[in-house]
Every structure is written in C-alpha cells, then in structure tokens.
Amino acid sequence: MDTYDDSGYGSVWAFLILAPLFFLFAVAAYIIGSWFLMKIFEKAGVQGKWRAWVPFYNTLIFVKLGDLNPWWLLILWGGTVVLGWVPVLGWLIGLAAFLYTLAAAWRIGLKLQKEAVWLILYFFLAIVWLGINAFDRSRWNTAIPAAPWAGNFLADNTVWSGIPSQVPAGGYPANPATAPGAPAGYQPPAGYTAPPAPPAGYTAPPAPPAAPGAPVPPPPAAAQPPVTPPAPPAAPQPPAATEPPATEPPAAPGAPEAPKE
C-alpha cells in the first residue's frame, strides 16, 4: 500500500518562503553596512561617498585604510572562489581573508582612538563595530606607530585616486613598546603620539633633589690655588747723619768784637 509523502513539497515551500526573507535580510545588512562605511570613509577623508556603496570595492578601501595591501585581499577572495570546493583548503583561504580584514579593523580602530579589545566586537558583530565607529565623536588620526608589517609585502604601497595616504606627516612616530627601557609586554595606548625631539642646543635640566632621608653625597672639593709665602718686608734704612751748621756763641755784653778777617 502506497503512502503519500509530502516531505519533498514541504522542503520546496520552506525554501520559497525563507529564501526571500534571507535575501531581504542580506540586502538590508548590505545597505546598513555601506552606510556605516560611508561615515567612516568621511572621517578618513575619502573623496566620493559612492565608493562606500560599490560591492567589494568598499572592502578594498577599508583594507587600504587599515595599512594593508588591498590586492592581497582580492587574491584571497579569488582563491576562495576557485578552491572553495576543496574541503579544507577553501575554508582556510576564506578564514585568511577574514583575518586580513580583522587586521585592517585593528589599525582603523587605532586611528579612531579605539583599544585593541574592540576587535572582539568586530569578530562577532562587525556591523555593530562599524556603527559605533561611524557615529561616535572620534576623529581620524594617522599619527600612530607603524604597523608590524610596514616593512614587508603586506604593507600598502598603492596609490588610489581619492584615497588619502595613511603615512602621517613627518613619518610614523616611535613605538614606545620597542623603545629602549620599555618594560616587557608594554602596550602603548591607542592614539599614542611620541613627544617631539628636543631642539638643537637643548640642555637637560639638573637632577631633582634627593628624597628626604636619602644620603646626600658631599659636594665636590673646589680646586685650591697654590699658596705662595708673602715677601719679607724690606729692612729699615737708618736716617742719614747731618751735621748742624757751626755757629758762634753770642758775644757777652761789653766785650770787644773780634776782628774780622
């Protein structure tokens, strides 16, 4: 006895009902995501709002703003399409493409004064991450330390019309995490800008006074000039002997005057 099985028809009806819903959901997500990207591109100084609405091209710009070469993302996408039928390899290439955009989101977050922990939100809800960065009061700042891949093949060296260069004026500031004397595992705060170099002829200020109770080193002894004995005083000279002029005593009264020669 044959029994009527309508399971095949039920699957068809479920597909016909759910497929349009998934399509509308995808279209709404794309419109909202492109709108958020447009606001982020405006903060970054990208010319032309239409760039945020072009599929795939807007993600390439996003990666370029994150200091990564956009052509490598395009290659990863191509590899996912061509090798997607390979059970493991296609999945790994798709994961590499997502991690590539995750690294770009990290750099964009730094330029918008966001800590690295915000990547957790991007990993699970990228559209929420885009919305927060699109409408908060953060401002675009390229004066952050260079990316770890700045000197290799992943660095962005392309020049696209309407996309401003992400190299800050005067070059990248020094990374405090790699500066001499930095503690191990130190992570600079988001948006950190290294202090400017001192001007020519700058003299460092004297050391601060020692803390109370600390032994104070004795001051350095001043150089003493050689002591020379004073010259002895000159011997006194005796006064010169002078003879008084010879005078004759006065004559007595009444005595005759002596004859004059």
Side-chain angles (χ1 to χ4, degrees):
M1 181 178 181
D2 297 336
T3 57
Y4 181 74
D5 185 9
D6 61 349
S7 60
Y9 292 101
S11 300
V12 172
W13 280 109
F15 174 78
L16 293 177
I17 294 174
L18 295 178
L21 294 179
F22 282 120
F23 176 76
L24 292 176
F25 178 79
V27 171
Y30 180 80
I31 292 175
I32 295 174
S34 299
W35 182 35
F36 292 165
L37 282 176
M38 181 183 69
K39 294 298 183 180
I40 293 177
F41 289 177
E42 289 179 357
K43 290 185 177 182
V46 176
Q47 300 177 5
K49 297 181 180 180
W50 60 269
R51 301 178 190 273
W53 298 91
V54 180
F56 303 107
Y57 178 61
N58 53 9
T59 308
L60 295 178
I61 296 177
F62 180 84
V63 169
K64 182 175 173 60
L65 294 177
D67 304 324
L68 283 165
N69 194 323
W71 299 120
W72 285 111
L73 179 61
L74 194 61
I75 292 174
L76 291 173
W77 282 345
T80 304
V81 173
V82 174
L83 302 175
W85 57 274
V86 180
V88 178
L89 185 60
W91 180 83
L92 291 177
I93 296 176
L95 178 62
F98 174 75
L99 294 178
Y100 203 76
T101 60
L102 188 68
W106 169 59
R107 294 291 295 175
I108 291 177
L110 292 180
K111 297 175 185 180
L112 292 173
Q113 297 82 55
K114 297 297 187 299
E115 300 287 345
V117 70
W118 282 80
L119 287 180
I120 299 176
L121 180 61
Y122 183 89
F123 185 87
F124 292 102
L125 292 172
I127 194 168
V128 177
W129 183 93
L130 291 173
I132 293 175
N133 286 281
F135 292 101
D136 64 2
R137 296 184 178 181
S138 60
R139 295 293 181 265
W140 194 261
N141 179 23
T142 59
I144 60 176
W149 56 81
N152 57 34
F153 64 97
L154 295 177
D156 177 37
N157 297 317
T158 61
V159 178
W160 288 4
S161 177
I163 314 298
S165 174
Q166 297 304 299
V167 179
Y172 289 103
N175 192 339
T178 58
Y186 172 77
Q187 294 294 332
Y192 172 82
T193 303
Y202 171 79
T203 302
V216 180
Q224 299 293 335
V227 178
T228 56
Q237 299 293 331
T242 56
E243 296 181 356
T247 57
E248 295 181 357
E257 295 181 1
K260 295 181 181 181
E261 296 180 356

